[in-house]
Amino acid sequence: AWLKNQASGFKGKDEFEKEVVRHVETTLARSMFNCDETAAYAATSLAFRDRLVIEWNRTQQRQTFADTKRVYYLSLEFLMGRALDNAMLNVGDKEVAKSGLSDLGFRIEDIIQQENDAALGNGGLGRLAACFLDSLASLDYPAWGYGLRYRYGIFKQEIIDGYQVEVPDYWLDFNPWEFPRHDVTVDIQFYGYVKKTTDDSGKVTAHWEGGDTVRAVAYDVPIPGYATPATNNLRLWSSQAASGEFDFQKFNSGDYESSVADQQRAETISAVLYPNDNLDRGKELRLKQQYFWVAASLYDIVRRFKKSKRPWREFPDQVAIQLNDTHPTLAIVELQRILIDLEGLDWDDAWNIVQQTFCYTNHTVLPEALEKWSVGLVQHLLPRHLQIIYDINLFFLQSVERSFPKNREILSRVSIIEESQPKMVRMAYLAIVGSHKVNGVAELHSDLIRTTIFKDFVTIFGPDKFVNVTNGITPRRWLHQANPGLSDLIATKVGGPELFLKDLTLLNKLELSVNDPAFRKAWAEVKLANKQRLADYIKTTTGYTVNPIALFDVQVKRIHEYKRQQLNIFGVIYRYLKLKAMTPEERKKVPPRVSIFGGKAAPGYWMAKQIIHLINSVSKVVNNDPDIGDALKVIFIEDYNVSKAEIIVPASDLSEHISTAGTEASGTSNMKFVLNGGLIIGTCDGANIEITREIGEENIFLFGNLAEDVDDLRHNHTYGDHKTDPGLDQVFDAIHSGTFGSVHDFQGMISAVRDHGDYYLVSDDFHSYLETQDLVDKSYADQELWITKCITSVSRMGFFSSDRCINEYAEMMWNVEPLQPETNI
Ligand code: 26W
């Protein structure tokens, strides 16, 4: 009901048009006669922004007035993508905008495409944070996101001669979705030294003095909920030189250059998102980013709490802080510092408050991704924090000692300080010790952290501290926005979009229509139209023509050895060799396929870049081979990002989620693809396992070794006699013979399997992968059965809404309740 009768929407298309014209002529100071698509995008966004702002202010007032517990989601990454389409759908006036823009001579799709993605994230973790913000607002939870306002998001990827080239992503030249708050600033201290003073009663207080100061300036981004007026806030901090006398003095004394240099050094902190995904590099600037963002956010949260004049012990009744991975772990230390050094609380009282406030989500078990900071670096940058970390560790180890007397082993295993050369602070351990709940992101992953990397902590704290919250995705962006054709079709069967997009379990009603011929036909037409749209996109961006009748087989995600794009491309080469060996008649009978890849490699990840190069080299050879024709096409889509995912995901027949078992914590694109009527080929890993449980194993193509066998297989590679799979040998021979260019370029990928222990078990899973791909071909040939599988799967995907996921966090970890707009002031 809110959607149609909201106070904040436009009264009709006339009002919308008037607003657009007003913004073009006044805000943009242009005439309608030279209003191009860029200007139309700007004016449309501003018109919607005006609408959002009203509800945003109301929501903030309502939350302040109600004075209930709030959630603060701390994430170094928010991979938001575009905002305009989402704002139109959530405000509920996309149709109005469409006809209004058309009157003004524009197509709404063209206007939407003018917007730069807000690409402030690497991959899964950052996109999860964005889905969570959407769910928090849509479910009326009082919640804020806190992050960094990077001037450069994740780099843009260009493919030049088959190689990845990184180009900076300067996305901020026009961003109508942020509001600078020059009055909301926090000065953040770095370096310096600690002085201790003792008062008359003998109480010792630490003072952190000296060092540099950098100013954090708040930029606020409104987050509209769907079918609710609730509009939450995402606060991003930008770094700036701490103004004033210091600079002025330098300036006046003629030291202009060094004053400018100070300015630039300060701005560097929020300049660029680190492009590593699942790899910790331990760079000083990254630690500075983390502390800068955490300290500004906590100052803000504490300032808000203090306005209520409550006693400190009530802090955890008002504040829940979620740590998105270990990146914000310093918040634990910072809150303890605020409480003991600045507010004068006793250590134990302070520590209780801290532990009850924080929760920590782990997103990876890969050892190279677990953050550690050298003691020397922390000491230098944050001298007081290091002392507090040592004290936290001391008290923690003392309590472990009491529970497990004379067990030196466990003490050194769980110590927050790793006694290595140099000594390191283990951030995950600090996060566990400072939180009251820790969660993994899918069942297998949560089991793995309980039994492997955090085993000792389960023994120490008991099993209840470690819980599972399986990831989810927002159906608003990933169905309604990305796939309006399917969303509309589904709406006809489940009682309208406002219902199922707010309660995704209603999808189960679709199962009643699975045998309805008209519905099945409409379903197939939607899929074909989505494939045609992707085929058009491929044509304009790559020049290659792909047949939309072919099976679209998609793997789009960050390039990483554990995600095994190499297994996929080796499989493609195998298929190509088989096709080459056939007669033209035989080839005609082969079901045609388009293998689509996309994803970025971290700039310093040599092997990942080699994988990209091989995919592009195979693409060039296969697509230009006259023997092959439509039987096989290989496409690499440049610069995979959120807005491209919105075109690719709805167009897939099959998507690949083929990580080595036990390595992918959850995966979230697997959920997006199935929700959009595609099937999965995948390993028993991450959320694939729960997807199988929900949709039924007859509707998914699982293959490969199980997580429980991975250790033994690896051991066998090193110590047994390990032979490469014969099919894979054929593939390597083809690469060796120069079919795809110089062997030298791909030697690393081959040696990783043959000579370096095949850590990711590519060879062990190769045969099973090929067999399962054959099964896919056979299943796809039976289109009727295939469509049944797709519809049935979609009907059973309700569990994977991020709404379900957020409700679980709220109940199990945060203890917060929604604040209904009806309880208005
Ligand atoms: C310190 C470097 C670094 C940077 C990013 C380490 C780790 C990360 C992230 C935690 C990596 C990441 O995005 N993990 C993904 O999180 C998703 C959301 O939970 C999961 O679905 C993916 O399986 C997991 O890889």
Side-chain angles (χ1 to χ4, degrees):
W2 185 83
L3 268 185
K4 290 180 198 87
N5 269 322
Q6 13 129 356
S8 60
F10 298 98
K11 289 203 188 71
K13 73 171 177 169
D14 291 347
E15 191 189 46
F16 168 75
E17 284 172 38
K18 234 177 68 195
E19 287 296 278
V20 170
V21 172
R22 181 174 71 81
H23 277 300
V24 170
E25 292 181 345
T26 62
T27 320
L28 307 176
R30 288 173 75 148
S31 125
M32 279 308 286
F33 295 110
N34 65 24
C35 175
D36 56 10
E37 287 180 342
T38 324
Y41 159 69
T44 305
S45 299
L46 292 166
F48 272 93
R49 183 181 93 159
D50 291 345
R51 266 52 202 167
L52 285 191
V53 167
I54 296 167
E55 290 303 341
W56 186 30
N57 281 326
R58 282 198 189 129
T59 306
Q60 297 316 312
Q61 272 177 31
R62 186 166 65 237
Q63 292 179 8
T64 306
F65 185 77
D67 199 27
T68 52
K69 187 169 182 177
R70 286 194 179 98
V71 180
Y72 297 101
Y73 198 81
L74 268 57
S75 180
L76 207 41
E77 305 190 5
F78 288 94
L79 194 46
M80 304 295 282
R82 290 179 177 147
L84 175 59
D85 202 359
N86 183 250
M88 294 192 297
L89 289 167
N90 284 20
V91 169
D93 271 344
K94 186 169 179 183
E95 286 308 313
V96 170
K98 188 174 176 178
S99 64
L101 283 167
S102 153
D103 286 353
L104 298 171
F106 298 102
R107 286 174 12 141
I108 193 168
E109 304 82 58
D110 299 335
I111 299 310
I112 288 168
Q113 279 171 30
Q114 295 303 309
E115 184 174 351
N116 292 325
D117 276 34
L120 308 185
N122 276 285
L125 163 130
R127 183 54 231 177
L128 187 75
C131 284
F132 282 6
L133 293 182
D134 183 80
S135 284
L136 285 161
S138 297
L139 295 168
D140 300 309
Y141 282 106
W144 285 50
Y146 275 107
L148 273 185
R149 178 181 177 271
Y150 302 108
R151 191 141 34 92
Y152 298 92
I154 188 70
F155 62 86
K156 287 195 184 301
Q157 178 192 56
E158 285 181 10
I159 302 295
I160 297 178
D161 297 331
Y163 294 94
Q164 167 175 298
V165 173
E166 299 93 25
V167 178
D169 166 44
Y170 186 78
W171 66 291
L172 282 171
D173 48 359
F174 176 72
N175 179 11
W177 304 105
E178 64 175 14
F179 290 79
R181 304 283 193 200
H182 294 291
D183 54 327
V184 182
T185 65
V186 189
D187 284 351
I188 309 296
Q189 189 179 357
F190 292 105
Y191 308 109
Y193 52 90
V194 181
K195 244 175 51 186
K196 298 218 163 156
T197 55
T198 313
D199 69 10
D200 299 343
S201 69
K203 186 175 172 178
V204 180
T205 307
H207 307 268
W208 179 20
E209 294 178 356
D212 290 356
T213 307
V214 178
R215 178 154 302 167
V217 182
Y219 283 71
D220 287 346
V221 182
I223 308 293
Y226 177 76
T228 169
T231 304
N232 281 344
N233 194 26
L234 168 61
R235 179 158 281 181
L236 302 176
W237 298 105
S238 180
S239 64
Q240 206 179 271
S243 69
E245 297 156 60
F246 195 57
D247 289 338
F248 261 117
Q249 269 169 25
K250 276 194 182 171
F251 185 80
N252 291 335
S253 65
D255 202 356
Y256 180 69
E257 271 177 42
S258 100
S259 145
V260 172
D262 284 351
Q263 192 112 345
Q264 285 182 340
R265 209 156 9 93
E267 287 173 13
T268 303
I269 291 180
S270 62
V272 49
L273 165 78
Y274 274 91
N276 295 318
D277 180 89
N278 273 303
L279 179 73
D280 176 35
R281 294 242 170 207
K283 287 269 197 294
E284 172 167 355
L285 182 60
R286 166 98 172 175
L287 185 61
K288 271 189 158 176
Q289 288 187 333
Q290 293 186 350
Y291 180 66
F292 170 81
W293 148 65
V294 146
S297 307
L298 262 183
Y299 185 91
D300 212 39
I301 293 166
V302 165
R303 172 167 61 190
R304 201 166 297 126
F305 172 77
K306 280 178 138 186
K307 279 197 202 151
S308 74
K309 309 260 192 255
R310 291 166 193 262
W312 279 108
R313 70 183 139 72
E314 289 179 22
F315 190 79
D317 305 330
Q318 294 297 103
V319 174
I321 302 180
Q322 186 66 35
L323 306 175
N324 198 21
D325 215 273
T326 56
H327 317 153
T329 301
L330 283 171
I332 287 171
V333 189
E334 176 70 0
L335 182 58
Q336 181 71 3
R337 184 183 78 86
I338 292 171
L339 296 177
I340 61 176
D341 289 358
L342 308 180
E343 301 292 336
L345 272 70
D346 288 346
W347 178 278
D348 289 347
D349 293 340
W351 187 242
N352 268 327
I353 291 169
V354 168
Q355 278 185 318
Q356 288 179 68
T357 300
F358 288 99
C359 299
Y360 153 57
T361 306
N362 171 277
H363 294 267
T364 179
V365 293
L366 300 189
E368 66 272 28
L370 298 179
E371 284 191 299
K372 291 173 185 179
W373 292 105
S374 88
V375 163
L377 181 55
V378 179
Q379 155 87 56
H380 181 53
L381 191 68
L382 304 165
R384 178 57 184 146
H385 294 77
L386 186 69
Q387 293 177 344
I388 294 173
I389 291 170
Y390 267 95
D391 286 345
I392 293 171
N393 196 37
L394 177 71
F395 296 132
F396 168 59
L397 292 181
Q398 283 174 349
S399 80
V400 176
E401 167 95 269
R402 282 195 294 277
S403 316
F404 304 89
K406 305 211 183 68
N407 191 341
R408 294 257 117 230
E409 287 296 294
I410 197 169
L411 289 182
S412 84
R413 284 204 306 267
V414 301
S415 173
I416 294 168
I417 307 296
E418 179 182 271
E419 297 294 328
S420 46
Q421 240 348 301
K423 288 186 189 172
M424 305 293 263
V425 183
R426 296 156 158 165
M427 301 310 272
Y429 293 4
L430 180 54
I432 294 171
V433 172
S435 300
H436 63 282
K437 291 277 179 192
V438 176
N439 76 292
V441 290
E443 269 171 23
L444 174 69
H445 170 64
S446 297
D447 285 344
L448 282 174
I449 64 179
R450 281 188 287 246
T451 54
T452 62
I453 56 175
F454 301 151
K455 184 167 175 269
D456 290 319
F457 293 89
V458 177
T459 312
I460 292 165
F461 292 108
D464 295 348
K465 180 160 175 168
F466 296 83
V467 299
N468 172 249
V469 185
T470 299
N471 280 167
I473 55 169
T474 170
R476 273 77 62 178
R477 182 175 294 260
W478 296 113
L479 181 54
H480 194 46
Q481 179 181 322
N483 198 346
L486 193 62
S487 182
D488 291 350
L489 179 61
I490 290 172
T492 63
K493 296 290 179 191
V494 302
E498 294 91 18
L499 286 178
F500 84 94
L501 292 172
K502 294 222 101 165
D503 176 5
L504 204 62
T505 62
L506 292 174
L507 284 177
N508 62 16
K509 291 192 185 167
L510 284 181
E511 219 154 339
L512 299 171
S513 306
V514 68
N515 293 317
D516 170 351
F519 181 68
R520 295 168 64 91
K521 184 161 170 274
W523 187 280
E525 281 165 8
V526 168
K527 180 58 82 179
L528 187 62
N530 290 334
K531 289 170 74 175
Q532 185 63 58
R533 175 168 72 147
L534 179 58
D536 294 344
Y537 179 80
I538 289 171
K539 179 78 192 176
T540 44
T541 53
T542 70
Y544 291 125
T545 307
V546 299
N547 184 353
I549 303 299
L551 188 158
F552 280 18
D553 170 344
V554 182
Q555 189 178 17
V556 286
K557 48 182 88 229
R558 285 299 288 258
I559 312 292
H560 209 296
E561 285 166 283
Y562 87 82
K563 295 179 188 281
R564 297 202 295 190
Q565 283 92 355
Q566 69 276 43
L567 174 59
N568 185 344
I569 193 65
F570 292 155
V572 169
I573 294 173
Y574 187 87
R575 181 177 284 261
Y576 174 63
L577 298 176
K578 248 175 52 186
L579 284 166
K580 286 296 274 183
M582 289 178 186
T583 66
E585 279 64 40
E586 286 172 321
R587 257 180 235 136
K588 282 203 190 92
K589 292 189 203 122
V590 174
R593 223 186 241 245
V594 184
S595 273
I596 300 167
F597 293 82
K600 295 173 186 178
Y605 192 172
W606 175 77
M607 189 72 85
K609 288 186 150 179
Q610 201 162 101
I611 294 172
I612 290 177
H613 183 210
L614 180 60
I615 296 169
N616 280 286
S617 303
V618 172
S619 167
K620 197 167 161 193
V621 170
V622 172
N623 298 356
N624 292 301
D625 187 333
D627 292 346
I628 300 300
D630 271 0
L632 181 62
K633 285 277 178 286
V634 182
I635 303 293
F636 190 92
I637 294 179
E638 209 172 67
D639 196 41
Y640 176 62
N641 62 11
V642 171
S643 55
K644 280 170 199 162
E646 290 169 18
I647 302 171
I648 297 167
V649 171
S652 109
D653 295 304
L654 181 77
S655 64
E656 308 223 7
H657 308 274
I658 58 177
S659 48
T660 311
T663 61
E664 188 72 274
S666 161
T668 44
S669 76
N670 42 8
M671 304 165 191
K672 293 166 198 166
F673 281 102
V674 180
L675 185 61
N676 281 277
L679 301 184
I680 283 180
I681 182 166
T683 45
C684 293
D685 201 18
N688 290 356
I689 296 171
E690 287 144 278
I691 292 175
T692 306
R693 186 190 68 204
E694 293 292 310
I695 69 176
E697 57 187 346
E698 68 283 9
N699 295 316
I700 186 165
F701 299 97
L702 291 178
F703 73 96
N705 285 286
L706 301 180
E708 62 206 47
D709 299 323
V710 165
D711 281 345
D712 284 350
L713 286 164
R714 282 179 180 159
H715 183 89
N716 202 35
H717 293 176
T718 320
Y719 301 103
D721 78 318
H722 168 240
K723 276 211 183 60
T724 318
D725 175 89
L728 194 53
D729 277 328
Q730 288 177 37
V731 170
F732 289 169
D733 288 348
I735 297 174
H736 266 290
S737 72
T739 312
F740 307 105
S742 161
V743 200
H744 175 258
D745 291 352
F746 313 117
Q747 193 54 55
M749 292 175 65
I750 298 176
S751 311
V753 174
R754 281 202 173 147
D755 316 319
H756 301 298
D758 192 12
Y759 189 74
Y760 296 102
L761 313 188
V762 171
S763 177
D764 303 81
D765 283 347
F766 193 66
H767 185 69
S768 164
Y769 177 67
L770 292 182
E771 277 187 342
T772 309
Q773 283 286 17
D774 281 344
L775 185 61
V776 169
D777 281 327
K778 292 203 180 77
S779 308
Y780 194 70
D782 183 349
Q783 272 296 302
E784 288 306 318
L785 185 62
W786 186 275
I787 290 185
T788 301
K789 287 178 190 292
C790 296
I791 298 174
T792 311
S793 299
V794 172
S795 76
R796 299 175 182 175
M797 283 299 286
F799 179 76
F800 298 99
S801 169
S802 45
D803 294 350
R804 183 269 312 153
C805 185
I806 283 298
N807 282 326
E808 287 182 8
Y809 277 95
E811 189 169 325
M812 289 198 294
M813 323 218 346
W814 303 333
N815 194 25
V816 290
E817 306 266 325
L819 182 65
Q820 248 82 46
E822 285 77 30
T823 63
N824 221 325
I825 34 173

